[in-house]
Amino acid sequence: MKFFVDTAEIDDIRDLAATGLVDGVTTNPSLIHKSGRNFFEVIAQICDIVDGPVSAEVAATDFDTMLAEGKKLAKIANNVAVKVPLTHDGLKACRALTQAGTMVNVTLCFSANQAILAAKAGATFVSPFIGRLDDIAVEGMQLIADICTIYDNYPNFTTEVLVASVRSPLHVLEAARIGAHVATVPPSVLRQMVNHPLTEKGLAAFVADWQKTGQSIL
Ligand code: E4P
């Protein structure tokens, strides 16, 4: 399973990338707004830090402008994945950008039918938003299971399922059980996954016992 980190905060990306856990990054207009940074500068900086796909989202909603924006974003770095919304025009832009050799992440996916269309349009990634489905009492993880089953039925579908709108370590665990290709995880959730009270307790005991030996490794 690949981990992308869902943020536009450079300090978080640098810190987490140093663990080797970060296979890519996803951003969206809200995360760019939150960062307070210039869009092009921040995407270029992230692409320097992380070798894997870095999602940069178009702002337009019509095909022609999405395509022009996508082409411009793709020029920032070789590892940019252009993010387009799962709309009729977004799927057209997906197809055109994919045919031009650009990675495309089709975002705002909320149904298995939409995911089928993204795969047929040649998307590199499809992003089902599970947290936002959970918020309206629809089981987001069931959507992930459905999409994975459907994609497995058709080996010519090469689109990777990128689990998005992840809110907890349990989301990541369940996505991994299902076999989703990628989870894009907020930095706070990735850090939560590291922690376990028995690890902390065990480490405290080892540190205390080591001190009692009076020895030093260095
Ligand atoms: C994914 O690419 C999106 O940026 C993100 O996962 C959305 O998450 P949210 O529903 O927490 O805003």
Side-chain angles (χ1 to χ4, degrees):
M1 184 186 211
K2 286 180 275 192
F3 283 151
F4 290 179
V5 61
D6 196 28
T7 186
E9 303 299 330
I10 294 294
D11 288 348
D12 279 328
I13 293 168
R14 245 190 245 291
D15 178 48
L16 293 166
T19 64
L21 289 173
V22 177
D23 301 302
V25 174
T26 51
T27 67
N28 63 38
S30 306
L31 293 170
I32 296 296
H33 175 61
K34 197 173 155 200
S35 77
R37 299 274 316 274
N38 172 277
F39 184 29
F40 286 88
E41 285 174 15
V42 78
I43 294 295
Q45 206 177 350
I46 297 170
C47 288
D48 269 350
I49 298 168
V50 176
D51 291 335
V54 174
S55 288
E57 188 158 343
V58 297
T61 55
D62 67 284
F63 168 69
D64 288 329
T65 320
M66 266 193 264
L67 185 57
E69 288 180 351
K71 285 180 177 170
K72 189 170 174 185
L73 292 172
K75 284 186 187 144
I76 298 175
N78 287 336
N79 54 332
V80 165
V82 174
K83 225 173 172 188
V84 300
L86 211 159
T87 60
H88 180 83
D89 279 27
L91 291 170
K92 279 168 67 181
C94 170
R95 184 165 195 78
L97 289 164
T98 300
Q99 283 176 341
T102 298
M103 287 187 285
V104 178
N105 176 359
V106 178
T107 190
L108 292 167
C109 172
F110 292 95
S111 78
N113 271 332
Q114 288 181 315
I116 293 170
L117 300 181
K120 288 191 69 70
T124 318
F125 303 103
V126 66
S127 291
F129 277 36
I130 58 169
R132 295 191 194 188
L133 282 172
D134 288 352
D135 288 346
I136 58 161
V138 175
E139 280 184 35
M141 207 49 70
Q142 186 56 51
L143 174 60
I144 300 301
D146 288 346
I147 297 171
C148 287
T149 301
I150 292 165
Y151 280 13
D152 281 349
N153 288 340
Y154 298 97
N156 61 322
F157 283 180
T158 55
T159 304
E160 295 193 10
V161 179
L162 198 174
V163 181
S165 191
V166 165
R167 304 272 169 82
S168 70
L170 190 56
H171 273 158
V172 180
L173 185 62
E174 289 177 352
R177 280 196 182 118
I178 291 166
H181 304 93
V182 194
T184 187
V185 187
S188 57
V189 174
L190 210 43
R191 292 193 176 100
Q192 275 178 282
M193 289 170 66
V194 175
N195 299 328
H196 196 287
L198 289 179
T199 305
E200 283 165 29
K201 190 177 168 193
L203 183 58
F206 287 155
V207 168
D209 287 342
W210 177 250
Q211 277 172 352
K212 287 178 208 159
T213 70
Q215 299 179 51
S216 152
I217 294 174
L218 294 176

